[in-house]
Amino acid sequence: MPEETSPRRPARFEQALACFHEARDLTDPQDSPGVYGVILHDIADTYRDAHDFKEAVEHFRQAVSYKKRADNPSDLATTMTALANTLVAMREGAEAWEVLDDLAHEVPKITDVERRAAVLHNMALTYEELGNLGLEGAYAEGVAVCQAVLALVDGESDPGWYATVLKDLGDAYEAQEMLPQAHAAYEEAVRYTRRIEGKSTSLITVLIALGRTSRRLGKSEGETAVNGGGPVLNGAVLGGMGLDGAGPPQPPGAVPDAPSDVPPSDAAAGEDEEP
C-alpha cells in the first residue's frame, strides 16, 4: 500500500467538499457569478476548518474574483475579510494588507450603515493582528478604522456595540504605548458598558484594561511617591530625601545605606498576564 503523503481530512469535511463541488458544477459562473462565488467561499471555509490554509486562500481568491462581478459589496466584503484573516494565519502579512487596501475601496459601496460599521470593525481587528505580526503602521491603521466605526455607531441606542469598539481602540493605542489615549478610550468603554442592562462580563474585561493602563500611567508619572518622597516600601519612603536633607528616612532598625529589598517589577512578576 502506498504511503500517505498528506493528512486525511475528516469524513464530514470530505462530504461537505463533495456537496459544494457538485453545487459549483451545477452553477453557471457567467449567469450567476455571485452564487458561484458563495459556493467557492464555502469550499474555502471547509479547507480552512480542516487547516488546509493554502487551499483555503486559493478558493477565497477565486470567490473574490467572482463576487466582484456581482452587485453585492457587502457579500464581497465578507469574503475579502476571510481572505485577509486566512493570510494573517499563514503569516502572509504583506498580502493581507493589500487585501485590506482593496477592501477599503469597496466599503463605501455598502449602503447599510450598520453592516458597513461591522465590516470596518473586522478590518480594524485584522490590522491589529498585522500589528502583532510586526508590520509597521498596522496599529495606527487600526486606530483610524476604529474611529471611523465610532462615527457610524450610535452609542446611546447601542452602548454595548459602541463600548466594544472603544475597547478595541484602546487596545490599538496600548499596543503603540500611547497610554494616555488608551486610558481615555478605556474610560469611555467603561462608561458605555455600564449602560448595558444586567450583569456584563464585558464590564469586567474593560475594567481590567482600564485598571492596568491606570497602573502603568501611575508608574510612569511617578505617582508612587508620597509627599514628594520616593516609592513606599512597608511604610518607609525609599529614594527621597529626609526632612533634614540627610538622606531618605529608614524603617525602624534598618541599617543606613543598606540596599533595599525592592520587589520585582510587574513585568518580571507576570502581573499583567491575562486572567
Side-chain angles (χ1 to χ4, degrees):
M1 177 179 290
E3 183 179 351
E4 292 285 346
T5 58
S6 60
R8 182 182 298 275
R9 284 185 291 270
R12 294 297 186 189
F13 285 166
E14 293 294 350
Q15 183 184 27
L17 286 172
C19 291
F20 295 137
H21 286 156
E22 183 175 356
R24 181 194 59 186
D25 294 342
L26 293 172
T27 304
D28 187 334
Q30 304 303 320
D31 292 339
S32 304
V35 175
Y36 199 80
V38 167
I39 297 169
L40 287 169
H41 184 120
D42 278 314
I43 293 173
D45 268 341
T46 306
Y47 279 121
R48 183 170 61 175
D49 289 343
H51 300 285
D52 189 342
F53 295 127
K54 184 177 180 180
E55 283 291 338
V57 163
E58 178 56 32
H59 284 82
F60 277 135
R61 289 190 186 117
Q62 293 178 31
V64 167
S65 68
Y66 281 99
K67 286 189 177 186
K68 282 185 174 182
R69 304 179 191 178
D71 186 20
N72 191 339
S74 177
D75 192 35
L76 172 60
T78 298
T79 300
M80 295 182 77
T81 301
L83 172 58
N85 289 332
T86 307
L87 288 166
V88 169
M90 297 175 67
R91 306 185 72 83
E92 297 290 344
E95 185 178 352
W97 197 315
E98 290 177 3
V99 173
L100 292 178
D101 282 343
D102 194 9
L103 176 55
H105 292 94
E106 301 294 334
V107 171
K109 302 175 186 177
I110 302 174
T111 56
D112 184 86
V113 174
E114 185 174 345
R115 173 59 182 157
R116 194 188 319 154
V119 171
L120 285 169
H121 183 234
N122 287 333
M123 289 176 63
L125 296 178
T126 306
Y127 276 121
E128 185 174 342
E129 291 299 323
L130 290 175
N132 294 341
L133 290 181
L135 270 70
E136 186 177 354
Y139 289 128
E141 287 290 334
V143 165
V145 177
C146 278
Q147 291 171 336
V149 177
L150 292 174
L152 297 174
V153 177
D154 184 357
E156 301 305 315
S157 62
D158 196 347
W161 177 208
Y162 200 76
T164 296
V165 181
L166 283 167
K167 167 63 167 56
D168 294 328
L169 176 62
D171 290 345
Y173 277 132
E174 195 273 340
Q176 299 174 84
E177 296 296 320
M178 300 172 68
L179 298 184
Q181 293 88 337
H183 187 272
Y186 290 144
E187 274 195 323
E188 281 291 281
V190 167
R191 187 165 70 87
Y192 279 95
T193 304
R194 290 190 191 280
R195 300 183 183 183
I196 303 173
E197 295 183 4
K199 293 184 178 179
S200 172
T201 55
S202 298
L203 181 57
I204 298 172
T205 301
V206 293
L207 283 170
I208 290 172
L210 176 59
R212 289 177 173 174
T213 306
S214 296
R215 183 180 63 207
R216 292 186 65 194
L217 277 171
K219 290 167 66 175
S220 67
E221 294 168 357
E223 290 185 2
T224 50
V226 175
N227 294 329
V232 174
L233 177 64
N234 296 329
V237 181
L238 305 177
M241 297 301 293
L243 294 177
D244 59 359
Q250 299 289 333
V255 178
D257 298 325
S260 302
D261 185 16
V262 180
S265 67
D266 290 348
E271 190 173 305
D272 281 342
E273 291 182 1
E274 292 295 332

